[in-house]
Amino acid sequence: MFDYTNIEDYHHQLFSGEYTCLQAVVHYIQQIRDAKNLNAFVHVYEVECLTRAEELDRKRKGGAPIGKLHGVVIAIKDVICYKDHPVTAASAILEGFHSLYNSTAVQKLLDEEAIIIGSTNCDEFAMGSTNENSSYGVVLNAVDNTRVPGGSSGGSAVAVQARLCMISLGSDTGGSVRQPADFCGIVGFKPSYGSISRHGLIAYASSFDQIGIFANNIQDVAATFAVISGQDEYDSTVRRQTPQQMNIKDVVTKKYRIAYFSNAIDHASLDPEIKEATTQLISELKEEGHYVKGIEFDLLDYIVPVYYVLTTAEASSNLSRYDGVRFGKREVTEQDLTKFYTATRSKGFGKEVKRRLLLGTFVLSAGYHDAYFTKAQQVRTLICQKTENIFKDFDAILIPTVPVKAFKLGDLENDPITGYLADIYTVYANLAGIPGISVPLFKHRDGLPFGVQIMSNKYNELTLLELANELLITYRQPHFNV
């Protein structure tokens, strides 16, 4: 029976002859079939994965050098382009569309001999917190099928949670990797804005979007990040410097300076059990010799409105290209051009996407642009400045990932505002452009997992991953096994 722990052990098993890449792929294909009810995958590339696995096995046995991700089975969110494969952003408006090129992240994975097993379900155009806004249907949480997995990268999260692949990629615009990781009890990592190229990532809000990584351990996150990060000629926002070397050790003796937002811990929206666990963790970190201090972040209650003003405005612009003229769904009509656009977009977009496009168009409209969009940009600048000042004195910020446990299916159907407000702790990292990670440490009394979120200064992913690894080793609840 194939059993996966991490990339390093897997590579040892390949070279020892205990397993082959082909055996790994066959195992995951069967796992995906057995877990079909979870609806995590929208496309599975069975034939080509089996062929690629056989090729990699022959190469390895022939003595040729292997790639850093040799034989690692990876799933990608249905917003990341993979040449000659479907990419639809879980939207009817892109039904049947196949990518013409590889995203930079996918190309780097392939260059290091990873195996892309399929694309995963998500909220349409990455807009949502539950993975219920998809033209492919709802994704179910593997821990409790009556609960959502979180969104928008819910399919990618469940693929790792249910052991349907080794690692998966998602995208994080306001928490879409960290929030589903929290709900599913796995590691969810969003790097700094500009650490990973966005070339080939279908845009939601371009100044917020970032590809992120799901895994069951920090070492796999670090190894994947080291491969897909770095400069790219196709994305001018990517950092030019060489990425940090990632060598995450199991034993860390460093003592960290950690801040936590007092008003986040005391916020009325925070579930009492999540508050209790986070408060206890803070006490234990202090006892272990870390410098941990509560600070007030006085812009906390402005974070969600600023985020939704700016992201919907950017979405209004980005999604204007889906008009039925150049690609994607086309609603045939003999009426004039405006009615053709209206018919195509009305039938192609789902309810949540329409809601956000209308909001974004409104905040950009004449008479409201300065009152909403310009003001939100000013507040974002203040948030970035305050964040820079915090990291002059601290190595990391620690707060809950999400204020509540996983929603029940259908809970937000008639109450989208509750879902928006639940983003209060995750959108901060996207506004400031800093890296964040959700670390699975706890279980609710009803058995649902939840974690804690750590953030570090921009481009300081190494410190973030080292601290996250220490928390997993030292503070994860006993017998925590999703």
Side-chain angles (χ1 to χ4, degrees):
M1 179 67 178
F2 179 81
D3 184 40
Y4 176 80
T5 52
N6 57 55
I7 294 171
E8 185 177 3
D9 287 349
Y10 173 56
H11 282 170
H12 286 315
Q13 291 163 338
L14 291 177
F15 276 103
S16 70
E18 183 177 353
Y19 297 130
T20 65
C21 295
L22 182 61
Q23 287 175 315
V25 169
V26 168
H27 167 78
Y28 285 115
I29 289 173
Q30 188 59 52
Q31 290 288 98
I32 293 169
R33 289 173 180 168
D34 292 344
K36 190 175 181 180
N37 68 301
L38 299 176
N39 200 30
F41 280 82
V42 294
H43 296 99
V44 181
Y45 313 129
E46 292 189 14
V47 175
E48 67 181 70
C49 285
L50 294 169
T51 301
R52 182 167 172 82
E54 291 174 335
E55 291 172 351
L56 292 175
D57 285 335
R58 286 195 295 270
K59 176 183 179 181
R60 186 181 65 259
K61 290 173 182 177
I66 68 167
K68 295 175 183 177
L69 298 178
H70 177 85
V72 176
V73 180
I74 298 178
I76 58 174
K77 184 177 178 180
D78 186 33
V79 293
I80 300 173
C81 291
Y82 184 15
K83 187 177 181 180
D84 298 326
H85 294 76
V87 58
T88 67
S91 177
I93 207 163
L94 281 174
E95 182 180 351
F97 181 75
H98 286 60
S99 178
L100 303 178
Y101 62 94
N102 282 330
S103 66
T104 298
V106 164
Q107 187 60 57
K108 289 182 176 183
L109 292 177
L110 296 174
D111 290 345
E112 293 296 340
E113 300 179 354
I115 299 172
I116 309 296
I117 196 167
S119 58
T120 55
N121 205 344
C122 60
D123 284 301
E124 184 182 6
F125 281 101
M127 298 182 192
S129 303
T130 64
N131 218 142
E132 294 174 291
N133 307 310
S134 167
S135 65
Y136 298 108
V138 176
V139 177
L140 304 181
N141 193 316
V143 173
D144 180 348
N145 291 175
T146 70
R147 302 271 176 175
V148 303
S152 62
S153 308
S156 292
V158 171
V160 171
Q161 177 199 38
R163 307 298 196 269
L164 310 182
C165 61
M166 298 175 183
I167 295 161
S168 67
L169 298 189
S171 65
D172 192 311
T173 304
S176 288
V177 166
R178 291 159 290 149
Q179 186 250 32
D182 181 272
F183 283 1
C184 292
I186 60 175
V187 177
F189 168 63
K190 181 204 85 73
S192 306
Y193 182 81
S195 288
I196 298 174
S197 171
R198 291 178 295 110
H199 175 66
L201 172 66
I202 293 179
Y204 164 16
S206 301
S207 72
F208 292 79
D209 298 339
Q210 188 64 189
I211 289 175
I213 303 165
F214 293 99
N216 278 304
N217 60 77
I218 304 300
Q219 289 80 4
D220 282 2
V221 168
T224 306
F225 177 64
V227 166
I228 65 176
S229 61
Q231 59 186 329
D232 176 29
E233 63 177 315
Y234 297 112
D235 183 357
S236 62
T237 65
V238 174
R239 190 187 189 205
R240 297 291 178 184
Q241 286 87 345
T242 303
Q244 293 172 292
Q245 292 298 311
M246 296 289 161
N247 184 20
I248 307 301
K249 300 177 181 178
D250 287 342
V251 180
V252 179
T253 58
K254 180 180 178 180
K255 299 303 178 184
Y256 293 92
R257 299 168 299 157
I258 304 169
Y260 66 90
F261 294 161
S262 302
N263 47 335
I265 304 297
D266 295 328
H267 202 273
S269 66
L270 185 60
D271 176 274
E273 287 190 42
I274 297 176
K275 178 178 180 178
E276 179 185 354
T278 307
T279 303
Q280 179 63 32
L281 175 63
I282 289 169
S283 298
E284 292 179 8
L285 286 167
K286 289 179 180 179
E287 291 173 4
E288 288 293 322
H290 300 283
Y291 176 73
V292 187
K293 182 180 179 181
I295 60 175
E296 290 287 322
F297 192 78
D298 56 5
L299 296 176
L300 184 67
D301 288 332
Y302 295 94
I303 284 175
V304 170
V306 166
Y307 169 80
Y308 277 99
V309 166
L310 295 178
T311 56
T312 57
E314 292 186 21
S316 175
S317 174
N318 280 328
L319 270 64
S320 64
R321 72 194 70 177
Y322 305 107
D323 53 16
V325 175
R326 289 158 289 185
F327 47 79
K329 184 181 181 70
R330 173 178 295 185
E331 194 64 30
V332 179
T333 175
E334 295 180 359
Q335 299 167 321
D336 62 33
L337 186 60
T338 299
K339 291 181 179 178
F340 164 72
Y341 286 155
T342 302
T344 298
R345 290 166 67 84
S346 294
K347 291 190 177 181
F349 289 137
K351 183 168 65 174
E352 181 60 28
V353 172
K354 291 176 187 175
R355 181 185 290 121
R356 299 195 191 197
L357 291 182
L358 288 170
L359 177 58
T361 303
F362 170 75
V363 300
L364 289 175
S365 61
Y368 295 100
H369 185 281
D370 288 342
Y372 291 101
F373 186 78
T374 301
K375 184 62 68 177
Q377 288 283 37
Q378 292 170 343
V379 177
R380 187 182 192 182
T381 299
L382 290 175
I383 290 170
C384 292
Q385 292 171 347
K386 285 180 176 291
T387 302
E388 289 176 5
N389 289 331
I390 290 171
F391 286 118
K392 290 177 182 178
D393 300 316
F394 296 95
D395 301 310
I397 298 170
L398 185 153
I399 57 175
T401 307
V402 190
V404 294
K405 60 186 179 180
F407 307 112
K408 277 191 170 292
L409 293 166
D411 271 2
L412 303 185
E413 185 174 352
N414 298 312
D415 185 17
I417 300 301
T418 297
Y420 298 166
L421 293 176
D423 294 337
I424 186 170
Y425 299 140
T426 54
V427 299
Y428 166 63
N430 300 82
L431 283 164
I434 60 176
I437 190 168
S438 182
V439 187
L441 299 182
F442 311 111
K443 274 191 177 181
H444 217 271
R445 287 188 180 91
D446 60 8
L448 291 174
F450 66 93
V452 69
Q453 182 182 194
I454 316 165
M455 293 166 282
S456 65
N457 203 4
K458 194 169 187 179
Y459 302 128
N460 193 6
E461 281 84 0
L462 180 58
T463 292
L464 182 71
L465 294 176
E466 286 178 339
L467 177 55
N469 193 52
E470 180 169 336
L471 291 183
L472 269 181
I473 293 170
T474 310
Y475 301 104
R476 197 174 202 181
Q477 286 183 347
H479 312 299
F480 185 103
N481 183 17
V482 176

